[in-house]
Amino acid sequence: MGVDLIQANSTSDNFDPAASRMAENILYFARLLRSAGMPVGPDRVLDAVTAVKTIGIGIREDFYWCMFALFVNRADQRTLFDQAFHIFWRNPRIMDRLMSAMLPTVRVENEQDLEEMSRRLADAMKSGVTEQLKEQESDEIELDAAFTYSKREVLQKIDFEQMTAAELAEAKKAIKHLRLPIMDVPTRRFIRDNRGAQIDMRATLRASLRAGNAIPLKFKRPRRRHPTLVILCDISGSMNRYSRMFLHFMHAVTNDRDRVHTFVFATRLTNISRHLRHRDVDVALDNVADAVNDWAGGTRIGACLKEFNARWSRRVLGQAAITLIISDGLDRDEAAGLEGQMERLSKSTKRLIWLNPLLRYEGFEARAKGIKAMLPWVDDFRSSHNLASLVELGRVLSRD
Amino acid sequence: MSSALPATIEDTLALLNQGDYIADRSLATTLFLALKMGRPLFLEGEAGVGKTEIAKVLSKALGRRLVRLQCYEGLDVSSAVYEWNYSRQMIEIRLAEAAGKVDRNKLAMDVMSKDFLIERPLLQALRSDENGPPVLLIDELDRTDEPFEAYLLEILSDYQITIPEIGTIKAEHPPIVIITSNRTREIHDALKRRCLYHWVDYPTAARELQIVTTKLPGINRQLSQQLVAFVQKLREQDLFKLPGVAETLDWADALTQLDKVALDGDAIDNTLGALLKYQDDIAKIRGSEAAQLLEQVKKEMASLDSVRG
């Protein structure tokens, strides 16, 4: 059922039979993308059909970019789209592309994305949603195997149990406490306030139209809102006993306010913001457990921070963001490159707060190399071994 | 002088070329579609790859007015869309009162009319002039905040603006809309759905060379080849901020000003600031690393020459 571009092209003048077939194929292509996790709505499919009619289907490259313009809307969807396009619209060179994707020459930065996406695409190809593609699949069945190469790391999945009633109550209490003191910063937008410092001309004019001779002055003040909060949480072996509590904490914060980005790291960095946005804490944590593959592994703080700085910092640390690092500072890499990355991070964020659960032990000294490397770049160093200390953190955050 | 919209992808390419913009065919395809379908074009890419330039070149080549809205955090309706001319309104009210006719309702209708409106970029963009609808450039959308993004939805899908006191103002002919983003945060899907998306990538070596020779016609041939190869090598390095095309052009200009005809270690070290904008990156490349890259570039060019020769 793959599309015969050549045939469609030859009849492109009297568009009808070929066009309806083309439209059908675009529809299936959209379905494939959707089941691979790209948000492709029906409106986009209609647009795509119009677009293809507009450019004609003579040149493969034009057709590619036409589909790209309509179905892709985030930079990180490019690889997935590219693979899907070449599989669906039958490219004889697909095997070459796959081989090159598996070779270690792939840019390290994208390696993780690539792996993840390819597997998603493979799943989508296998799933029932694309049953109509069966015929096409039959001659490309070996692709599935190529897509699903195994993970390198020893996976240690954590199975989150259901929360006990007592825990739930405690967490709820913490959420309540966290909601009250949230530091906010003035923005450049205004809100009507008669005790404000600036005159609200629009409101004043309206009032004066009503009032007659006098001009009743109306005032405004800058609207305040809380800044972006970025949380980087260590889930390595040494942090194992706390990680569940911190995940609850992050879930509470994520659902309490907007503009929260959450990451976890041990040997690699994972963005879990989307998973934590689920209202139900158990579902959210299950999602996280599935998404993260390095539970209780060793710690490579320097490497993970480096990845954060290179890939994420410019995207999430805009608009005066506050960064929260949750880690014990014990680094497997002997703090290699850690100091430089901490410096870069502290320069890109408005405020850098470090929560360290080890701080609860009396006589704690910054002896580990990792801690020594991190400490000079931190604005605030806090203990965080139980919910009470997290509530304490709420107070820190409420301070300007 | 306004020219007609391009009729094919080739025409679009030629149009951009005519404005000294060397584009990939992929970009031309998307731009052509955007013009044809009357959709906004959403351009994303690293800083300095020529996103903003596309709108400028387009307005110049088509002979259309360019309306530019530079986004920043806290951008609001009164600086982006419209503002009432309060002082004129006040005077109008005073005059009416002095003349003794104070039908308040009529007065309210009078002063809340189009005559008292100050048009800001977005409202200006809905108005066509004799050359046709303008090119609206919404630059660095990622710098503004989410509420403003939401406000744009009405404008981008229906090309209309609602002003509570007056009603809806709709563009007779929709403007050509180009939106750029440096991706310092993700733009909401609702907005992207209304646009055609294109990722502007770093150019290939051949295209970058073409760009350099087009923008700096007087440049030495050997120098331009070497510096483009060097920049391409640099983009493979692990740097915090990779140099864009804008940086390549700056650097080429700097080297030409210094009367260089070929790259050498000293020249690179002294002018690296035109190319790299972070101290860490400069410290990493300056000296031996740069010399090594230069060595590779020279070797590759020599082997190319020997193949040709």
Side-chain angles (χ1 to χ4, degrees), chain A residues 125-149:
Chain A
M125 297 287 292
K126 277 187 290 186
S127 74
V129 191
T130 49
E131 266 173 3
Q132 296 88 338
L133 295 171
K134 276 277 162 62
E135 290 169 54
Q136 188 193 355
E137 253 183 294
S138 62
D139 54 284
E140 284 173 333
I141 203 92
E142 66 271 34
L143 283 181
D144 288 348
F147 274 133
T148 49
Y149 34 96

Side-chain angles (χ1 to χ4, degrees), chain A residues 112-131:
Chain A
Q112 192 187 333
D113 284 356
L114 203 63
E115 183 181 66
E116 196 177 285
M117 286 177 171
S118 309
R119 286 180 60 247
R120 259 162 57 200
L121 189 59
D123 289 347
M125 297 287 292
K126 277 187 290 186
S127 74
V129 191
T130 49
E131 266 173 3

Side-chain angles (χ1 to χ4, degrees), chain A residues 35-182:
Chain A
S35 50
M38 282 170 60
V40 177
D43 54 335
R44 294 262 94 174
V45 178
L46 289 178
D47 285 346
V49 174
T50 321
V52 169
K53 280 183 186 161
T54 313
I55 59 160
I57 29 181
I59 302 175
R60 188 182 177 87
E61 195 194 341
D62 294 348
F63 180 68
Y64 177 95
W65 289 109
C66 168
M67 293 284 115
F68 184 95
L70 282 146
F71 289 146
V72 175
N73 61 18
R74 273 213 322 268
D76 51 13
Q77 295 164 348
R78 284 177 295 162
T79 327
L80 182 66
F81 173 84
D82 186 65
Q83 291 173 352
F85 182 90
H86 290 295
I87 293 173
F88 189 88
W89 306 98
R90 258 206 215 136
N91 184 344
R93 286 178 304 161
I94 180 66
M95 283 316 288
D96 296 358
R97 296 188 67 88
L98 278 175
M99 291 311 290
S100 69
M102 285 165 62
L103 289 175
T105 50
V106 181
R107 277 165 62 201
V108 180
E109 181 190 306
N110 278 335
E111 203 175 27
Q112 192 187 333
D113 284 356
L114 203 63
E115 183 181 66
E116 196 177 285
M117 286 177 171
S118 309
R119 286 180 60 247
R120 259 162 57 200
L121 189 59
D123 289 347
M125 297 287 292
K126 277 187 290 186
S127 74
V129 191
T130 49
E131 266 173 3
Q132 296 88 338
L133 295 171
K134 276 277 162 62
E135 290 169 54
Q136 188 193 355
E137 253 183 294
S138 62
D139 54 284
E140 284 173 333
I141 203 92
E142 66 271 34
L143 283 181
D144 288 348
F147 274 133
T148 49
Y149 34 96
S150 69
K151 297 258 173 237
R152 292 160 309 212
E153 287 158 64
V154 182
L155 307 185
Q156 204 177 347
K157 293 269 180 192
I158 281 189
D159 187 20
F160 289 111
E161 313 149 55
Q162 296 293 308
M163 293 176 83
T164 64
E167 273 181 322
L168 199 63
E170 208 177 355
K172 273 186 183 158
K173 208 173 86 195
I175 295 168
K176 207 170 88 190
H177 284 287
L178 278 168
R179 182 167 293 157
L180 297 171
I182 284 176

Side-chain angles (χ1 to χ4, degrees), chain A residues 39 43-44 47-48 50-52 54-55 59 61-63 65-70 72-76 78 107 187-190 200-206 208-215 225 258-259 274 306 309-310 312-320 340 343-344 347-348, chain B residues 9-10 25-27 29-30 32-33 36-37 39 42 44 46 72-77 82 84 86-87 89-90 93-94 97 104 107-108 111-112 142-148 163-165 183-186 189 192-199 201 238 240-242 278-280 284:
Chain A
D43 54 335
R44 294 262 94 174
D47 285 346
T50 321
V52 169
T54 313
I55 59 160
I59 302 175
E61 195 194 341
D62 294 348
F63 180 68
W65 289 109
C66 168
M67 293 284 115
F68 184 95
L70 282 146
V72 175
N73 61 18
R74 273 213 322 268
D76 51 13
R78 284 177 295 162
R107 277 165 62 201
T187 67
R188 293 187 39 132
R189 290 184 193 286
F190 289 90
D200 183 346
M201 283 303 285
R202 193 169 181 151
T204 303
L205 195 98
R206 281 166 165 277
S208 77
L209 275 173
R210 278 191 302 272
N213 285 326
I215 298 179
R225 72 174 296 181
D258 59 346
R259 307 211 288 183
R274 274 176 198 247
K306 185 175 177 191
N309 283 332
W312 294 101
S313 69
R314 267 184 290 243
R315 285 161 68 184
V316 299
L317 289 183
Q319 313 190 333
E343 181 182 359
R344 159 76 44 228
K347 282 177 179 168
S348 339
Chain B
I9 296 168
E10 283 75 20
R25 193 177 169 89
S26 59
L27 174 61
T29 308
T30 318
F32 168 71
L33 273 178
K36 204 79 182 168
M37 295 168 73
R39 288 296 183 88
F42 189 95
E44 232 175 19
E46 301 296 335
Y72 55 85
E73 192 175 355
L75 180 66
D76 58 1
V77 168
Y82 67 92
W84 290 103
Y86 299 117
S87 37
Q89 285 176 322
M90 289 288 183
I93 295 170
R94 286 287 137 206
E97 282 169 354
R104 296 238 150 248
L107 192 56
V111 297
M112 292 297 181
D142 49 335
R143 283 185 185 277
T144 179
D145 47 10
E146 293 86 353
F148 185 75
I163 301 174
E165 293 88 348
R183 217 165 147 240
T184 59
R185 66 180 177 84
E186 292 294 354
D189 285 349
K192 287 178 170 175
R193 251 190 49 219
R194 289 163 168 82
C195 309
L196 296 183
Y197 178 87
H198 187 77
W199 173 262
D201 221 334
D238 178 24
F240 186 64
K241 169 75 183 79
L242 299 177
Y278 283 87
Q279 179 53 30
D280 296 356
K284 187 172 179 185

Side-chain angles (χ1 to χ4, degrees), chain B residues 187-257:
Chain B
I187 304 296
H188 199 274
D189 285 349
L191 192 139
K192 287 178 170 175
R193 251 190 49 219
R194 289 163 168 82
C195 309
L196 296 183
Y197 178 87
H198 187 77
W199 173 262
V200 187
D201 221 334
Y202 294 117
T204 58
R207 197 169 299 282
E208 190 157 26
L209 186 60
Q210 213 180 340
I211 294 171
V212 170
T213 44
T214 311
K215 291 279 181 187
L216 301 164
I219 194 168
N220 178 286
R221 187 159 163 270
Q222 185 193 358
L223 176 67
S224 60
Q225 281 175 342
Q226 279 184 346
L227 75 89
V228 165
F230 188 85
V231 172
Q232 295 270 340
K233 279 257 177 299
L234 214 49
R235 292 205 186 111
E236 292 163 11
Q237 302 296 308
D238 178 24
L239 296 174
F240 186 64
K241 169 75 183 79
L242 299 177
V245 183
E247 278 80 20
T248 312
L249 289 172
D250 280 352
W251 195 41
D253 197 22
L255 290 167
T256 321
Q257 300 293 338

